[in-house]
Amino acid sequence: MVRVSARVSELSGLGLLTWVYPPGLVDRVVAACGCAEQRRRLLPARLVVYFVLGLALFSPAPYLEVMRHLVEGLRCQELLGDWHVPAKSSLFRARQRLGCEPLRVLFATTAKPMATEATPGAFWRGLRLLAVDATCWDVADSEANEAAFGRPGNGRGPGKSAFPQVRMAALAEVGSHAVLDAELAGCRTGEVTLVGHLPRSLGPGQLVLADREFLGVPLWQALHRHRRRSAVARARQPRPAGHQTVPGRVMAVTDPGEQRPRPA
């Protein structure tokens, strides 16, 4: 697992990103998505892909600061020539020109389990541990984002939140924290609905950990629909003693806790 500093000033430049995402792979993805430039540009598509990845890693940082640190290593090796960091407006246009499809394809191409048997907490009784969970985050306050994602209520009356929100459900490897799949939608789409799309990325020999709100018939049906031979474990959901599970499609119990009486 690659450990990355939280400070942009310690970013090791393009070297780190090109080690995880080799330039040849990025070029193939860009070409497959029809985003390769037709003429020589100050911001070629490959560089813009790495720039957007840098923005994701260091989201609080300004555009220009991220770009300067991405190319700093090249400057120190005198490989930039007369190239210079473009204006912020050029970076905005380049990001729009690239679009989201190359990033989506790059993620789908490279997302895979990274833990080995020596990774602490990565396996349990021979099963690779995965987990599903969901979260929301704010996006820019624009009419387009509000139309696409919606705004949640603010909890203090009939008004709405100051920002539109995106909801994401993710499937991650426990040992490495590597994200293997993700599903995004507007904030009005429920977590259970999004998690129902994630069994497409499951495989044999895996145990999926989830909060009990995610489990039940919908997730079992999703596992059956995708014909995945994986196990799913929920926390704090008691089962009768001697409860038997069905091999292949499993709803298992890892932390049953104590039986508690329901309130009247």
Side-chain angles (χ1 to χ4, degrees):
M1 182 173 61
V2 180
R3 299 185 67 85
V4 182
S5 170
R7 294 183 55 192
V8 179
S9 58
E10 298 174 8
L11 178 65
S12 59
L14 279 173
L16 173 63
L17 290 175
T18 56
W19 178 67
V20 179
Y21 303 102
L25 172 62
V26 173
D27 289 344
R28 290 193 296 273
V29 167
V30 167
C33 295
C35 298
E37 59 271 3
Q38 301 300 315
R39 57 187 177 86
R40 191 182 181 109
R41 292 181 178 273
L42 186 64
L43 289 169
R46 179 202 293 178
L47 179 58
V48 178
V49 169
Y50 290 127
F51 170 64
V52 175
L53 293 173
L55 291 175
L57 285 173
F58 303 96
S59 55
Y63 271 38
L64 294 179
E65 185 178 354
V66 172
M67 178 57 79
R68 279 194 295 266
H69 282 84
L70 282 178
V71 301
E72 185 61 30
L74 301 178
R75 187 180 303 281
C76 293
Q77 299 177 46
E78 300 182 352
L79 297 176
L80 286 183
D82 59 354
W83 189 92
H84 61 277
V85 175
K88 184 187 296 187
S89 58
S90 297
L91 294 173
F92 286 149
R93 289 194 297 271
R95 188 178 178 184
Q96 276 191 322
R97 190 165 58 242
L98 179 70
C100 63
E101 187 65 10
L103 280 301
R104 187 192 67 79
V105 175
L106 185 64
F107 171 76
T109 303
T110 57
K112 60 183 179 181
M114 299 177 64
T116 67
E117 292 184 357
T119 304
F123 289 85
W124 181 77
R125 298 190 179 184
L127 297 174
R128 185 181 298 274
L129 294 178
L130 308 180
V132 293
D133 207 347
T135 188
C136 287
W137 67 83
D138 295 339
V139 294
D141 185 10
S142 68
E143 293 182 0
N145 280 340
E146 183 172 8
F149 306 118
R151 295 176 189 261
N154 61 14
R156 293 176 292 181
K160 294 184 178 181
S161 172
F163 294 95
Q165 284 190 344
V166 174
R167 190 184 304 277
M168 179 193 72
L171 173 71
E173 186 179 38
V174 172
S176 68
H177 296 181
V179 177
L180 308 182
D181 197 357
E183 188 74 18
L184 286 80
C187 63
R188 300 299 183 187
T189 302
E191 295 179 349
V192 175
T193 300
L194 294 180
V195 167
H197 295 283
L198 300 180
R200 64 195 174 198
S201 297
L202 295 178
Q206 296 173 340
L207 177 66
V208 182
L209 309 179
D211 291 338
R212 57 183 170 182
E213 67 182 275
F214 291 119
L215 302 185
V217 174
L219 186 55
W220 187 92
Q221 289 176 332
L223 286 167
H224 181 75
R225 183 168 60 251
H226 290 276
R227 286 167 169 65
R228 300 306 189 199
R229 296 183 63 81
S230 299
V232 181
R234 83 172 88 190
R236 301 184 183 280
Q237 186 68 20
R239 281 285 188 272
H243 173 72
Q244 299 295 316
T245 56
V246 180
R249 310 281 196 283
V250 186
M251 292 289 183
V253 179
T254 57
D255 183 12
E258 300 179 356
Q259 184 74 37
R260 296 182 177 88
R262 292 185 178 182

